[in-house]
């Protein structure tokens, strides 16, 4: 165990997806089990380490992309990235049994599925979530590869397969699932499948990011995201020293029922004077999410979309739900249950209880998967093709990050209750209950009738698996996890 105060953040040491995000148009996730020849796997891992993309490399890649765009050259620059992370069962398989001090990580997501509210069945007191089979067996690790196009990523995938001899009798990894995610095409680029601009609000990290624009949430301490850094809820020096600068990665395989979601909006438009039914439906969508499809936040644009605001990174995150500062029990601008308000209540908790949400911030990455809606799906208003979000979040403590957001905020009808609004309801996008399906409702969707309950006939986001991983620092990968073959002198 190290007790020294950690040195400043070195972007060379941290995997690139965590603080900066691997640039991508497409991303392939390879979920794997390690073969019984653990020592061969760990020795081959030494060949993978030089291919792992650091944060420093991502910063360079982002500059290259910016220069390319500025010079108005055609096409995209060929850029790829690779990161790796291990589950507790993977670390244990490799003999790394140090206590990383995170109960959720140690138990794994399968053991957490029921508490997360995922749908499933119970037989002989054992809960069996409605997950794809791959996630019902141990997944030891995940390698994810990003790039500007499928051909670029395929080249990288082949390198990985060669290193671990995939396909040969002595392969050291066995692929349990491969998922390809793609950024949506053309003007939907950056928008998730329901149509909303995503990836706007991630915490700005002290010691790494420059100061956020005025009015945006304050920076968080690096330890909210990175283990062993100031702000880590586990005191600095108490986790194994090799966990420094790593982060827990929560992966969720989330399917989205887009035609069904659209049909609900169509059938329940917010009715305000001057709004057409179509505008009323768009407004309802914004009230469920807390932002318009353009990304403009309701707290700043409560009645009408403002695409220029949505696209302006200097303004689109500069709000704290303090616009109604005289009456913070009002949800005329943004419902308390709206997805972005539930998952980051900003100043709400401070106003209500003097509590800070900094420790509950997560960095979200991930990408969309599945095709665009077909004409048939639009016509029949029924999903025929699997599509959704490969959700990835980083945090130093799962119980403060992803687990907390899902269980204690999104799934709780009483969060955040205030005078006059004792049950804001579930998060309409991700809130779920496997014990009481009638809980799926919210109040506040109609600004003129804030106590009116809106019932949701079904879930539109359906979890089909996932796992908790640990994304180690590059020095930890090289010096602790990978095992060089030592040749006697
Ligand atoms: Fe959410 N969506 O399209 O509705 N999310 N999310 N999310 N989410 C956000 O601000 C969405 C999911 C958070 O700081 C935006 O970047 C969908 C999970 C957090 O203001 C949109 C799915 C969890 C934020 C969506 C999904 C979260 C956030 C606005 C699943 C955690 C930042 C864009 C398919 C348990 C809040 C933005 C803030 C924002 C959507 C999943 C959390 C549009 C479709 C599972 C913390």
């Amino acid at each position: 165990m190290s007790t020294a105060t950690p040195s400043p953040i070195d972007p060379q040491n941290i995997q690139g997806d965590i603080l900066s995000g691997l640039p991508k148009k497409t991303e392939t996730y390879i979920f794997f089990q390690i073969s019984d020849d653990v020592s061969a796997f760990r020795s081959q891992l030494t060949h993978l380490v030089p291919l792992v993309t650091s944060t420093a490399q991502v910063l360079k890649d982002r500059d290259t992309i910016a220069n390319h765009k500025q010079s108005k050259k055609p096409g995209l620059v060929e850029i790829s990235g690779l990161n790796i992370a291990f589950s507790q069962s993977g670390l244990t398989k490799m003999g790394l049994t140090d206590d990383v001090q995170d109960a959720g990580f140690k138990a794994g997501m399968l053991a957490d599925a029921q508490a997360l509210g995922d749908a499933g069945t119970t037989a002989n007191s054992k809960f069996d979530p409605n997950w794809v089979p791959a996630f019902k067996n141990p997944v030891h690790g995940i390698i994810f590869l990003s790039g500007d196009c499928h051909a670029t990523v395929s080249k990288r995938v082949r390198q990985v397969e060669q290193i671990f001899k995939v396909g040969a009798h002595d392969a050291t990894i066995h692929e349990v699932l491969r998922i390809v995610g793609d950024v949506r095409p053309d003007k939907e680029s950056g928008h998730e499948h329901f149509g909303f601009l995503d990836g706007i609000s991630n915490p700005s990290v002290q010691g790494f990011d420059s100061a956020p624009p005025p009015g945006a949430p304050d920076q968080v301490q690096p330890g909210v995201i990175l283990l062993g850094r100031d702000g880590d809820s586990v005191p600095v020096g108490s986790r194994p020293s090799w966990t420094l600068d790593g982060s827990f990665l929560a992966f969720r395989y989330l399917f989205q029922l887009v035609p069904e979601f659209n049909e609900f909006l169509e059938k329940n438009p917010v009715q305000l004077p001057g709004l057409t039914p179509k505008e009323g439906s768009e407004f309802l969508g914004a009230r469920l999410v807390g932002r318009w499809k353009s990304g403009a936040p309701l707290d700043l644009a409560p009645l009408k979309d403002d695409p220029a605001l949505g696209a302006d990174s200097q303004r689109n995150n500069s709000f704290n739900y303090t616009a109604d500062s005289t009456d913070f029990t009002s949800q005329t601008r943004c419902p308390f249950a709206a997805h972005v308000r539930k998952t980051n209540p900003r100043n709400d908790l401070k106003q209500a209880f003097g509590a800070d949400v900094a420790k509950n911030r997560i960095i979200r990455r991930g990408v969309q998967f599945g095709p665009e809606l077909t004409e048939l799906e639009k016509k029949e208003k029924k999903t025929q093709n699997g599509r959704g979000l490969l959700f990835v979040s980083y945090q130093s403590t799962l119980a403060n990050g992803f687990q907390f957001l899902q269980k204690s905020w999104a799934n709780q009808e009483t969060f955040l209750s205030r005078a006059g609004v004792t049950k804001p309801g579930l998060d309409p996008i991700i809130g779920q209950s496997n014990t009481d399906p009638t809980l799926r409702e919210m109040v506040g969707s109609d600004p003129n009738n804030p106590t009116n309950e809106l019932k949701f006939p079904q879930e539109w986001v359906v979890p089909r698996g996932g796992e908790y991983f640990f994304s180690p620092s590059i020095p930890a990968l090289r010096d602790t996890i990978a095992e060089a073959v030592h040749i006697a002198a």
Side-chain angles (χ1 to χ4, degrees), residues 192 196-201 291 339 343-344 346 364 391:
E192 53 68 57
F196 294 84
L197 185 64
D198 205 354
I200 304 168
S201 178
R291 287 187 185 264
H339 174 62
T343 54
N344 181 11
R346 302 190 183 209
R364 290 170 302 123
F391 174 88

Side-chain angles (χ1 to χ4, degrees), residues 322-369:
T322 44
D324 285 317
S325 56
T326 48
D327 177 10
F328 67 88
T329 62
S330 154
Q331 42 188 343
T332 42
R333 299 179 86 90
C334 179
F336 300 132
H339 174 62
V340 299
R341 197 165 189 176
K342 273 277 202 185
T343 54
N344 181 11
R346 302 190 183 209
N347 265 21
D348 283 341
L349 279 176
K350 206 171 259 167
Q351 286 175 320
F353 308 115
D356 196 2
V357 292
K359 70 173 191 312
N360 304 113
R361 303 296 310 279
I362 58 176
I363 289 187
R364 290 170 302 123
R365 302 292 177 212
V367 67
Q368 284 62 52
F369 71 93

Side-chain angles (χ1 to χ4, degrees), residues 155-167:
K155 272 192 248 169
R156 278 276 182 134
V157 170
R158 278 196 293 279
Q159 282 179 305
V160 172
E161 289 171 343
Q162 276 162 8
I163 289 172
F164 299 111
K165 302 191 175 176
V166 172

Side-chain angles (χ1 to χ4, degrees), residues 15 37 41 110 112-113 116 118 151 226 241 244 274 287 307 323 326 329 335 345 350-351 365 373 448:
Q15 294 204 56
D37 195 348
F41 168 75
L110 183 59
D112 204 20
L116 288 169
D118 289 7
L226 298 173
S241 55
L244 175 68
R287 300 283 296 178
T326 48
T329 62
K350 206 171 259 167
Q351 286 175 320
R365 302 292 177 212
L373 287 187
N448 277 352

